[in-house]
């Protein structure tokens, strides 16, 4: 059997769902599909629609935050346009030593293409990348 034949959904834990909603809906512009409990936190979970029928879960948990590695990646057609839209909406682009980021924060992606990162209010790292 294995899991290769089944869809997967990313889930990101956050400390405060209301602060996270401001980021995921307000800055990233994600469309909420559903809202429900997260464990015993009434209204502590959100599911967001993304491309190609994929979904992202964001849920409140006391174990949230600070993932130093990438927790989710969006693959886009135009990194520059998306970067401009996100920074205009209030996203901050972190800088990482040794990754060769340009003045906007875009780095060459391993294997070709370009990538940049943003962090949610809990410090969870999100990547945005494209093939060119």
């Amino acid at each position: 059997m294995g899991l290769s034949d089944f869809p997967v959904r990313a889930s990101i834990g956050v400390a405060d769902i209301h602060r996270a909603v401001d980021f995921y809906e307000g800055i990233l512009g994600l469309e909420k599909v559903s809202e429900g409990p997260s464990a015993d936190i009434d209204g502590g979970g959100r599911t967001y629609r993304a491309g190609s029928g994929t979904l992202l879960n964001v849920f409140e948990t006391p174990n949230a935050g600070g993932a130093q590695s990438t927790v989710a990646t969006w693959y886009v057609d135009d990194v520059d346009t998306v970067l401009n839209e996100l920074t205009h909406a209030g996203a901050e682009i972190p800088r990482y030593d040794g990754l060769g980021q340009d003045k906007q924060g875009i780095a060459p992606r391993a294997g070709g293409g370009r990538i940049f990162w943003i962090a949610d209010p809990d410090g969870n790292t999100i990547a945005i990348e494209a093939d060119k």
Side-chain angles (χ1 to χ4, degrees):
M1 176 181 89
L3 294 179
S4 293
D5 294 328
F6 300 96
V8 65
R9 183 184 306 177
S11 295
I12 300 175
V14 298
D16 180 332
I17 192 65
H18 301 291
R19 183 176 67 178
V21 164
D22 290 342
F23 176 79
Y24 286 95
E25 294 178 23
I27 292 177
L28 297 189
L30 296 179
E31 177 186 327
K32 180 177 70 171
V33 174
S34 65
E35 177 179 332
S38 173
D40 61 351
I41 302 166
D42 192 36
R46 303 289 190 280
T47 301
Y48 294 104
R49 186 183 66 76
S52 300
T54 60
L55 299 169
L56 174 69
N57 291 330
V58 177
F59 65 99
E60 186 172 327
T61 175
N63 303 315
Q68 296 296 309
S69 59
T70 303
V71 297
T73 303
W74 268 268
Y75 298 92
V76 300
D77 294 327
D78 185 342
V79 166
D80 296 292
T81 298
V82 173
L83 175 79
N84 289 335
E85 289 173 358
L86 291 176
T87 55
H88 181 67
E92 295 182 18
I93 310 304
R95 300 290 177 161
Y96 301 105
D97 292 335
L99 294 182
Q101 290 171 281
D102 64 17
K103 65 183 178 187
Q104 293 180 290
I106 300 172
R109 184 181 68 185
R114 299 165 70 218
I115 186 170
F116 70 92
W117 299 267
I118 57 177
D120 76 2
D122 288 289
N124 294 307
T125 303
I126 297 166
I128 312 292
E129 62 180 74
D131 290 333
K132 45 185 167 172

